[in-house]
Amino acid sequence: MVQANEMKEHARQAAEQQKEAGAGRIDEMADAIHSAANELEKQFPRSADYVHDAASRLEGTAAALRKRRVEDLVKDLGDFAHTQPAAFFGGAILAGITLARVLKRSPGPQKHGGTHP
């Protein structure tokens, strides 16, 4: 039982780290969007306001993600899957495709000691 609790705690800590990393990536994306909006302001000030608003919403999402516990996020995800199975399934497929593309683009293991053409 102690080992199961340790494994559960380790998984929770890993999920917490991933949650924080995800929130960080969202913040980075928001910063990039704000930068793009700053460039738009010169020629399209009204459009830039909309882009800044979208970036601010992303920042709010990141902040909300940081405040939530992993257990609550998992529960909400389960509730969403139960109440909106088609949307959940579609989102899971989209996430899988995105993950496959990311993995496909990442460099493979480097081989050493062979001949190169």
Side-chain angles (χ1 to χ4, degrees), residues 6-46:
E6 288 175 6
M7 290 175 61
K8 184 177 178 181
E9 179 59 23
H10 181 70
R12 190 194 67 72
Q13 288 175 355
E16 193 68 39
Q17 289 173 345
Q18 291 300 313
K19 179 188 80 155
E20 185 61 34
R25 293 299 301 242
I26 293 170
D27 277 335
E28 290 171 5
M29 197 170 21
D31 289 344
I33 293 170
H34 276 303
S35 294
N38 289 337
E39 291 297 316
L40 277 175
E41 281 177 337
K42 298 169 188 167
Q43 295 180 334
F44 307 101
R46 191 169 201 148

Side-chain angles (χ1 to χ4, degrees), residues 5-84:
N5 287 338
E6 288 175 6
M7 290 175 61
K8 184 177 178 181
E9 179 59 23
H10 181 70
R12 190 194 67 72
Q13 288 175 355
E16 193 68 39
Q17 289 173 345
Q18 291 300 313
K19 179 188 80 155
E20 185 61 34
R25 293 299 301 242
I26 293 170
D27 277 335
E28 290 171 5
M29 197 170 21
D31 289 344
I33 293 170
H34 276 303
S35 294
N38 289 337
E39 291 297 316
L40 277 175
E41 281 177 337
K42 298 169 188 167
Q43 295 180 334
F44 307 101
R46 191 169 201 148
S47 296
D49 289 342
Y50 291 119
V51 176
H52 276 301
D53 184 53
S56 294
R57 289 175 190 261
L58 282 174
E59 290 168 336
T61 299
L65 183 59
R66 285 188 175 98
K67 289 179 184 177
R68 307 273 321 264
R69 295 177 350 158
V70 170
E71 295 85 359
D72 295 336
L73 294 171
V74 170
K75 181 187 178 304
D76 289 349
L77 183 62
D79 291 346
F80 179 73
H82 181 70
T83 60
Q84 301 289 329

